[in-house]
């Protein structure tokens, strides 16, 4: 194992980075290069990140029963009303906004921070707020590293924390694209998916552990056009819309 990864805590972001391109993983997590985008094209990208962060805070207040306040944009008001309509507070359930868990797998730590987890008597709902406008398919979302990690940890850790034997079929992940949808895209779960997800996570962690990051690392050229390190690797501009889709 690379010495710099000895105490590394894996997440869906870092595993997805490696999946996209091992060289990108090296830049971000081994070399600790923080490559900031420059130029006019990047302004909307950073604006989108800020919008997402601010809306997550509003949702956290709602589910913690903290006043949201009136000084918010019309767009945010419309989004919050969508959330309230779909997820009215039920006193029989536990609401966990911005909830973080961690466990050990394949000798390494794996963590996840959920936008919202709802614990019912016999169910776990995962909610993820998307403030971008990109469209995508059920299959694409189902196979995302975020889905793989979040659903695996929901069954493996969150259910145990709350001392519940939740059936696989009663665990769901809801991606809510607030700009373009009135209802979420809901991913269902099964024991077969859980076994597969565990294998996917373990394989990526083991592959990362066995790479010589001090030697030659090949780059995934298919990923270059929407990688923030494209300037560094190829001296070429970046496709910001594709970066959003990747995330």
């Amino acid at each position: 194992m690379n010495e710099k990864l000895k105490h590394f805590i894996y997440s869906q972001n870092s595993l997805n980075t490696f999946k996209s391109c091992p060289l990108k993983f090296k830049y971000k997590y081994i070399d600790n290069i923080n490559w900031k985008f420059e130029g006019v094209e990047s302004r909307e990208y950073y604006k989108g990140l800020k919008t997402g962060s601010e809306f997550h805070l509003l949702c956290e207040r709602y589910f913690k029963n903290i006043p949201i306040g009136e000084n918010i944009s019309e767009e945010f008001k419309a989004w919050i009303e969508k959330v309230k309509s779909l997820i009215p507070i039920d006193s029989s359930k536990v609401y966990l906004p911005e909830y973080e868990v961690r466990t050990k797998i394949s000798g390494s730590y794996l963590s996840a921070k959920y936008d919202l987890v709802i614990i019912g008597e016999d169910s776990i709902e995962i909610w993820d707020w998307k403030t971008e406008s990109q469209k995508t398919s059920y299959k694409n979302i189902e196979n995302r590293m975020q889905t793989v990690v979040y659903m695996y940890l929901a069954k493996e850790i969150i259910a145990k924390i709350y001392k519940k034997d939740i059936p696989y079929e009663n665990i769901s992940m809801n991606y809510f694209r607030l700009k373009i949808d009135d209802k979420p895209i809901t991913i269902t779960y099964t024991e077969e998916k859980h076994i597969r997800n565990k294998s996917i996570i373990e394989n990526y962690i083991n592959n990362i552990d066995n790479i010589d990051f001090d030697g030659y690392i090949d780059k995934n050229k298919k990923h270059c056009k929407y990688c923030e390190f494209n300037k560094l690797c190829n001296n070429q501009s970046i496709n910001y819309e594709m970066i959003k889709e990747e995330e």
Side-chain angles (χ1 to χ4, degrees):
M1 179 187 293
N2 189 290
E3 190 63 27
K4 291 186 178 180
L5 293 175
K6 195 171 183 180
H7 304 291
F8 188 72
I9 300 172
Y10 288 95
S11 66
Q12 62 97 1
N13 280 327
S14 59
L15 292 177
N16 190 58
T17 297
F18 182 82
K19 178 183 177 182
S20 299
C21 179
L23 183 58
K24 180 178 179 178
F25 181 94
K26 177 181 184 294
Y27 286 150
K28 290 185 72 170
Y29 301 107
I30 303 295
D31 300 335
N32 292 316
I33 299 175
N34 184 11
W35 190 267
K36 184 171 175 63
F37 309 141
E38 300 293 345
V40 176
E41 301 89 350
S42 68
R43 289 177 186 168
E44 285 301 313
Y45 176 80
Y46 287 113
K47 183 180 177 183
L49 293 180
K50 185 172 182 289
T51 296
S53 178
E54 290 174 349
F55 184 72
H56 278 63
L57 179 59
L58 293 181
C59 287
E60 182 178 9
R61 288 176 178 170
Y62 169 61
F63 289 106
K64 286 184 175 179
N65 199 26
I66 299 171
I68 292 174
E70 297 297 325
N71 190 25
I72 60 175
S73 70
E74 292 301 315
E75 184 174 49
F76 278 3
K77 286 179 182 177
W79 291 356
I80 281 290
E81 287 307 312
K82 281 186 178 183
V83 172
K84 287 181 177 180
S85 175
L86 274 175
I87 320 173
I89 302 298
D90 181 343
S91 60
S92 69
K93 296 181 178 181
V94 177
Y95 297 85
L96 304 168
E98 302 300 316
Y99 185 63
E100 192 166 359
V101 297
R102 183 183 300 179
T103 191
K104 208 162 190 180
I105 180 171
S106 288
S108 298
Y109 284 102
L110 175 69
S111 71
K113 186 174 183 180
Y114 298 84
D115 292 352
L116 176 68
V117 176
I118 304 176
I119 311 290
E121 182 61 36
D122 198 29
S123 66
I124 295 178
E125 296 177 45
I126 303 164
W127 286 80
D128 194 78
W129 321 122
K130 298 298 182 188
T131 56
E132 305 88 8
S133 57
Q134 284 79 17
K135 292 187 176 182
T136 188
S137 66
Y138 181 98
K139 185 176 180 180
N140 178 276
I141 291 176
E142 184 180 33
N143 292 326
R144 280 183 182 174
M145 190 60 68
Q146 183 179 13
T147 306
V148 169
V149 171
Y150 282 22
M151 297 195 83
Y152 170 77
L153 289 177
K155 174 62 177 176
E156 202 69 20
I157 303 302
I158 298 177
K160 291 177 182 177
I161 290 173
Y162 282 84
K163 299 179 181 178
K164 290 179 176 290
D165 185 18
I166 306 290
Y168 295 95
E169 291 74 17
N170 290 4
I171 298 173
S172 63
M173 182 154 185
N174 303 277
Y175 286 91
F176 195 4
R177 303 175 299 182
L178 293 128
K179 276 190 177 180
I180 58 177
D181 293 333
D182 291 320
K183 293 183 179 180
I185 297 173
T186 300
I187 308 298
T188 57
Y189 212 38
T190 63
E191 184 176 5
E192 181 182 0
K193 286 183 180 181
H194 188 69
I195 293 169
R196 184 197 67 189
N197 288 349
K198 183 175 188 285
S199 177
I200 289 171
I201 294 166
E202 287 180 331
N203 285 339
Y204 275 113
I205 290 176
N206 291 334
N207 286 340
I208 292 169
D209 285 347
N210 290 312
I211 280 188
D212 177 15
F213 284 102
D214 294 322
Y216 174 76
I217 308 252
D218 197 12
K219 60 188 174 186
N220 178 7
K221 294 180 180 178
K222 292 181 180 178
H223 181 73
C224 289
K225 63 183 177 182
Y226 43 87
C227 172
E228 64 263 42
F229 297 103
N230 200 17
K231 279 281 187 182
L232 181 63
C233 284
N234 306 307
N235 196 29
Q236 292 179 356
S237 59
I238 306 159
N239 187 326
Y240 294 95
E241 289 301 315
M242 294 297 287
I243 289 174
K244 290 177 184 177
E245 288 182 11
E246 277 289 294
E247 295 176 345

